Amino acid sequence: MNKKYQTTFILDTRGYNEPVETLVEKLKGVIESAGCQIEACENLGQKTFARATDRNFPAGIYVKFDYEGPANSASIIREKLRLDRTVDRFIVIAK
């Protein structure tokens, strides 16, 4: 049985020379490879952190995805992005 999820990614583009859209397309591919069907994608732009944990990284690019997928999709996505330096962090919310 599939559930609906909303995931917000915070991207760290320091040292990344390509457009942000290429990162968004890569994230779409990761979500779809976890067996999910993307319903909506929204680039929320760059936002300054309320509390920066790294003074060299005071702001990140936020990208939000709405999708439907299996119950274990969040753990699959987390494992695929574990070593990706361009994804600083993300949160998965079940709707």
Side-chain angles (χ1 to χ4, degrees):
M1 183 172 136
N2 287 345
K3 295 175 71 175
K4 292 188 182 252
Y5 296 97
Q6 181 181 62
T7 301
T8 303
F9 294 92
I10 301 175
L11 304 178
D12 180 357
T13 56
R14 293 179 293 176
Y16 189 77
N17 298 327
E18 296 179 35
V20 176
E21 288 76 23
T22 58
L23 279 176
V24 172
E25 289 301 318
K26 184 176 90 171
L27 291 174
K28 281 183 183 178
V30 168
I31 292 172
E32 289 172 347
S33 71
C36 301
Q37 185 172 3
I38 296 175
E39 297 170 353
C41 170
E42 183 179 4
N43 185 346
L44 303 173
Q46 185 164 344
K47 297 182 187 244
T48 304
F49 301 135
R51 293 190 187 109
T53 56
D54 181 358
R55 67 180 153 145
N56 296 323
F57 183 50
I61 297 174
Y62 286 65
V63 180
K64 182 177 73 170
F65 288 95
D66 292 320
Y67 58 92
E68 185 174 336
N72 66 343
S73 61
S75 61
I76 293 170
I77 293 168
R78 185 174 312 279
E79 182 60 32
K80 289 182 184 251
L81 295 175
R82 185 172 58 92
L83 298 176
D84 192 343
R85 296 179 92 68
T86 57
V87 177
D88 184 53
R89 56 189 160 227
F90 63 94
I91 184 168
V92 179
I93 300 170
K95 289 183 163 185

